[in-house]
Structures are given as structure tokens and as C-alpha cells.
Amino acid sequence: MKFLDQAKIYIRSGNGGGGSVSFRREKFIPNGGPDGGDGGHGGNVWITAMDGLNTLIDFRYQQHFKAQTGHHGQGRQMHGGKGEDVILKVPVGTQVLDEDKETVLLDMDYAGKTEMLLKGGNGGWGNTRFKGPSNQAPTYANPGQEGQERWIWLRLKLIADIGLAGLPNAGKSTFLSAASAAKPKIADYPFTTLVPNLGMVDLSPTERFVIADIPGLIEGANEGAGLGTRFLGHVERSASLIHLIDGTQEDVAGAYRIIRGELDAYGEGLADKTELLALNKIDALSPEERDAKAAELEAVSGKRPFLVSGVSGEGVTPLLRAAWNEVRKTRGELTRVDDEDEGVVETPGGWAP
């Protein structure tokens, strides 16, 4: 299925049904009078977040969504039925933006969340509503109220616990395939990954989290270079980031600075997220090269990097364990103590399966 993370659509609620002008005329009933019914309400436009969806591809082939007009009133005081609603089903994490593509109207951030986008028009009154002592036979009724309409943008920000960051060919897709059951495209050329990929990491039956692999960034991405920063929105909700550095390149410190610079330039709190730094592709390095490049990364980042290989699987589990701890902190299951030597401790009364 093709990945699509934004779409512009037109929505319109239904018009209200018109009221009826009718008079009661029946044999053997001497006293007639107005008996026109009211029109029905126009259909509403709703949006709901659904589990099991991870793309907005359905909105590529249909961009116009119109709710049904309310049914018109009829004689014998028969009121018209309500128009049928339109329900937009979107993935969890979808944002609804105004036509300017900047103003966020709604954030569908959990499964089952349902909101009304547009309200249908009220039905018009039939002539029965207007009868009175001074006008016992009104010959007019109200038309239905007009529905509402607007253009909106849908923008998907995948909800993942951990986001993968790194330069093109840093080995993110290989790492994702080693850490989860995801099968992203893997090749030996830059920008193999053109769309975000999600993988479910299963450390144990009770230790599961979602990891997101986003397309690689290059220097100047915040200004539109390469694939730009469009896909960074998919890791805004992540608990923390795994920053992979290709250990086979010459300047690992420079690669680290490039990604950190792009995260800072993008904003939205990405640069403030907890970062797990990992030197990848160590299967292609000698023990001396591993130590030298790890020391170089530690000097520029202030933290000792994990040593991993997505190809051989070496070091992957310790890194995933560290990532799981970060996820648990975000969920409130672990809390950090002030003394760094003591690490993290269980939160009393915390989560239990």
C-alpha cells in the first residue's frame, strides 16, 4: 500500500430539508387546516481515529465528501428524516488543519476519538408551525438551512515510541529489520527509504514498543535540501530518538553534528528529546577502529555510544533495552533519580500488565 501522509479535501454538511405547505382535506371531516410537516436536519460531517490504518491513501482517490440533505416535510404533519452523515476514518495521529495548512483544528491522537467537523443545516418549519388566531391558514413554510463547507488538510504524524534518525545509508532500515518484524527496502545507495516505516519491537510478551524509521537527512534539509524535513513530523510524538552513525565513514563526529543541527533547525522539541547514540556497522570495523570512533563520538556528544550492527545483530538488544527504558519513563512506569550512578528506579504503583 502506498504511503500518503497528507491530503487536501473538501467537506460539506447537508442542507436542511424544506418545510411543507399542506392543508388537511378529508371527506366527512369539516374542520381542515394546515398540516405541513417540518424538514429533516442535514447530515453532519464527522472524523474518527481508527486503529489499523497507517496512511491517508484513501483520500488520494476521493477528495470531496458531502453529507446528505435532510428530507423534506410532507402533508399530514409528516416530518422529513435526517440526512445521512459522512464519517471520515483516519489513522491515529492525524491532524486536521485549516486551508492555510498551519492552523491545527483537531488532533486525532488516540483510537476511537470522534469529533464533528461540520454541522448539518436545520430543517425548515412546515406551515403547521405558523398557524394562529390571526392566520389560521398560512400558505408558506421555511426552506431548510444551508449546510457548511470548507477545505481542510489532513496531516498524519505517526505515533511511535522511538524514532530513528541519521544520515542516508546510516543503516536505519537494516537496524529496523533486525529489531522488529518490519521489512523495509534495503539497498546500498542513499535515500533508499523514501517514506517512514514502522516496526513493532517485541522484547518479551509484556515489553513491546513501536519504532519509526524516517528517511535520511542531509545538511541543509531544513531549507529543503534532499527530502527536506517533511517526514520529521512523524517522530515529534516519539519518546526519544535513536541516532545511528555509520561507523564506516571517515568523519563520524561531523555526521553527528549534521543531524543535531537539522534537529535544532526543525524545532518542535525534537532537539530536546532523549537521544540514544549508536555507532552502527561495527561488523565492518576492527576492534581498534571501534574504540577510536566511539571515543570520537563520545568527545563530540558527551555520551558513550552504543556499538551495534544491524547486519550481525551485535549490540542490538542492549540498545533496544535502553530504548525500552526511555519508553517506560515516558509512560510513567519508570522515574529517573537525581544521582546518575543510580540510574532509574521503579515508580511505586506503576504500570503492570
Side-chain angles (χ1 to χ4, degrees):
M1 178 182 292
K2 184 178 176 63
F3 182 85
L4 188 71
D5 65 346
Q6 60 183 19
K8 186 179 183 180
I9 62 173
Y10 169 84
I11 55 175
R12 193 187 196 287
S13 59
N15 296 333
S20 171
V21 176
S22 176
F23 294 91
R24 182 180 182 186
R25 290 185 178 89
E26 298 182 47
K27 191 175 182 180
F28 306 122
I29 298 178
N31 297 322
D35 68 349
D38 300 338
H41 289 272
N44 305 318
V45 180
W46 300 83
I47 187 169
T48 184
M50 301 284 293
D51 267 335
L53 299 177
N54 55 15
T55 176
L56 297 173
I57 188 64
D58 292 340
F59 299 97
R60 178 174 184 176
Y61 304 106
Q62 181 182 357
Q63 290 89 33
H64 293 75
F65 298 86
K66 300 178 182 179
Q68 188 180 29
T69 297
H71 297 279
H72 301 307
Q74 301 180 43
R76 297 188 180 183
Q77 298 191 36
M78 289 189 292
H79 301 312
K82 182 182 181 298
E84 187 175 348
D85 292 343
V86 165
I87 302 177
L88 308 179
K89 298 178 180 179
V90 298
V92 177
T94 300
Q95 291 181 325
V96 180
L97 286 75
D98 203 354
E99 192 174 0
D100 61 9
K101 209 176 178 180
E102 295 181 358
T103 306
V104 178
L105 305 175
L106 288 172
D107 191 357
M108 311 302 289
D109 55 356
Y110 62 86
K113 184 174 182 179
T114 302
E115 299 285 348
M116 182 187 293
L117 292 175
L118 295 179
K119 181 177 175 58
N122 292 326
W125 282 358
N127 66 337
T128 305
R129 296 269 195 172
F130 299 100
K131 69 180 180 181
S134 61
N135 188 5
Q136 297 183 9
T139 58
Y140 53 87
N142 280 346
Q145 186 181 33
E146 288 285 328
Q148 302 171 318
E149 61 181 353
R150 71 186 308 172
W151 285 90
I152 59 172
W153 280 90
L154 301 178
R155 182 174 63 191
L156 174 60
K157 291 185 178 180
L158 296 175
I159 297 182
D161 298 302
I162 299 293
L164 290 178
L167 291 172
N169 270 18
K172 299 186 296 299
S173 295
T174 303
F175 178 83
L176 180 67
S177 64
S180 69
K183 301 298 179 186
K185 181 180 179 181
I186 299 172
D188 60 354
Y189 54 83
F191 297 115
T192 306
T193 302
L194 297 177
V195 297
N197 293 298
L198 287 180
M200 176 66 74
V201 177
D202 283 297
L203 294 175
S204 75
T206 59
E207 297 173 310
R208 308 179 73 208
F209 61 94
V210 178
I211 198 167
D213 165 28
I214 62 169
L217 297 173
I218 64 174
E219 189 170 10
N222 67 91
E223 298 174 352
L227 295 177
T229 57
R230 170 180 170 184
F231 296 114
L232 277 178
H234 294 289
V235 294
E236 285 182 25
R237 307 174 195 265
S238 302
S240 59
L241 300 176
I242 292 178
H243 186 171
L244 291 181
I245 302 292
D246 181 358
T248 62
Q249 61 187 338
E250 292 295 329
D251 188 7
V252 293
Y256 174 82
R257 293 191 188 97
I258 288 174
I259 297 299
R260 292 305 305 179
E262 296 307 317
L263 295 178
D264 286 332
Y266 179 80
E268 302 298 333
L270 286 189
D272 300 325
K273 291 183 181 295
T274 303
E275 178 188 62
L276 301 174
L277 183 59
L279 183 66
N280 196 19
K281 303 183 182 181
I282 60 171
D283 57 290
L285 302 177
S286 66
E288 294 77 14
E289 289 175 320
R290 294 184 184 187
D291 292 339
K293 293 193 174 184
E296 188 178 347
L297 277 180
E298 185 175 8
V300 71
S301 67
K303 65 187 77 172
R304 185 69 179 176
F306 290 85
L307 303 180
V308 301
S309 170
V311 172
S312 67
E314 182 182 354
V316 171
T317 299
L319 177 55
L320 294 178
R321 284 286 173 191
W324 171 240
N325 282 337
E326 294 301 327
V327 172
R328 295 189 68 189
K329 292 173 200 172
T330 303
R331 296 177 182 175
E333 299 165 20
L334 289 180
T335 184
R336 186 184 300 275
V337 296
D338 292 336
D339 188 351
E340 293 185 358
D341 294 335
E342 296 181 23
V344 295
V345 298
E346 295 285 348
T347 302
W351 176 90

